[in-house]
Amino acid sequence: MSDKLLIFGAGGHAKVVADIALKMDRWKEIAFLDDQENTKKPMGLHVLGTIKDYHTYIEDYDIFVAIGNNKTRKNIMMTLQSEGVSMPTLIHPRAVIGKQVILACGTVVMGGVVINCCTKIGHGCIINTGATIDHDSVLDDYVHVSPGVHISGTVHIGEGTWLGTGSVVINNIIITSGCKVGAGAVVVKDIHKSGTYVGTPVRRVEG
Ligand SMILES: CC(=O)SCCNC(=O)CCNC(=O)[C@H](O)C(C)(C)COP(=O)(O)OP(=O)(O)OC[C@H]1O[C@@H](n2cnc3c(N)ncnc32)[C@H](O)[C@@H]1OP(=O)(O)O
């Protein structure tokens, strides 16, 4: 645990992550690493270098990987975890987290989110703005729950699955790993085969 936080990435998602970290008021210094050459002081914070420079910083900084792509985020996080890097969990002060909710490290919970009791959320997940996740649900590692998603009670979402903006999952559903669920989709039956699913109720498409 450090009083300095280094955020990997400096794009739109990383800026929201930085905003949450600033609101948490826990770190004296917050900065980015980013591979885009022309990134200049996003959110008024410094970009210290590119992601390959990270070895220079891992002793002194907490690290948060703010990359939206689930596979890329997983690959970077697994490398960092094997090096024993300190990774916080970021929770917006205006998120509502129920009792007996477990949130693993490297996960961000954004503003307006509600996570109800007895839910377990894995490493490196993104619980985006205004999403709700109801009781007794389990989200495996590297899941992205986009803005305004509603996950009902006792749902299991497999590793690396992405739920698009405003999608809905009814209660007692299992969605396997590596799925993409389109914006506005409604999931009413278990999904056992990885792939892209859209519509109400969802159908599998080539994506
Ligand atoms: C803070 C933030 O911004 S977080 C980011 C939030 N972003 C999102 O929620 C984006 C969610 N993404 C989507 O909905 C995408 O359209 C995806 C992932 C479902 C599919 O994307 P792609 O893999 O590029 O597939 P593609 O665009 O070729 O669509 C495949 C088919 O599904 C249809 N389709 C795609 N998305 C949807 C959707 N959300 N609802 C209904 N139909 C859809 C397409 O019209 C196409 O149909 P067709 O074959 O009959 O022409």
Side-chain angles (χ1 to χ4, degrees):
M1 208 85 87
S2 167
D3 61 358
K4 298 196 277 187
L5 176 68
L6 191 57
I7 297 170
F8 281 31
H13 173 58
K15 288 192 291 180
V16 179
V17 164
D19 196 21
I20 292 167
L22 288 164
K23 286 183 169 65
M24 288 172 72
D25 204 17
R26 188 177 127 185
W27 292 276
K28 287 187 181 145
E29 182 193 324
I30 298 173
F32 298 97
L33 289 185
D34 192 60
D35 288 343
Q36 300 288 328
E37 287 193 355
N38 295 323
T39 313
K40 286 183 189 150
K41 292 199 81 177
M43 307 285 294
L45 302 170
H46 290 288
V47 179
L48 301 182
T50 59
I51 288 175
K52 68 175 163 29
D53 302 328
Y54 77 89
H55 274 115
T56 315
Y57 302 102
I58 52 177
E59 293 284 312
D60 295 336
Y61 285 77
D62 288 344
I63 306 277
F64 195 90
V65 181
I67 291 173
N69 181 281
N70 290 346
K71 280 188 185 155
T72 309
R73 190 170 67 260
K74 174 182 175 177
N75 290 340
I76 295 174
M77 278 187 65
M78 289 190 75
T79 304
L80 293 171
Q81 278 169 329
S82 71
E83 300 191 34
V85 163
S86 166
M87 280 189 210
T89 303
L90 299 185
I91 303 174
H92 191 289
R94 298 231 172 164
V96 177
I97 312 290
K99 283 195 192 303
Q100 295 181 24
V101 168
I102 297 171
L103 293 161
C105 68
T107 282
V108 58
V109 178
M110 295 188 177
V113 164
V114 179
I115 303 176
N116 270 340
C117 60
C118 310
T119 280
K120 188 173 172 226
I121 296 184
H123 296 277
C125 292
I126 302 170
I127 313 301
N128 225 312
T129 313
T132 66
I133 303 175
D134 228 293
H135 62 87
D136 299 297
S137 290
V138 176
L139 274 59
D140 292 341
D141 298 340
Y142 312 110
V143 166
H144 180 181
V145 177
S146 295
V149 167
H150 295 303
I151 297 174
S152 309
T154 325
V155 166
H156 186 162
I157 313 278
E159 182 179 305
T161 280
W162 175 28
L163 301 180
T165 297
S167 58
V168 170
V169 184
I170 69 163
N171 55 314
N172 304 319
I173 289 288
I174 297 169
I175 301 179
T176 194
S177 58
C179 290
K180 290 179 188 171
V181 175
V186 179
V187 182
V188 299
K189 286 184 184 162
D190 292 351
I191 296 177
H192 294 298
K193 190 175 175 188
S194 296
T196 301
Y197 293 83
V198 301
T200 307
V202 290
R203 67 182 199 286
R204 193 167 193 275
V205 291
E206 292 306 316

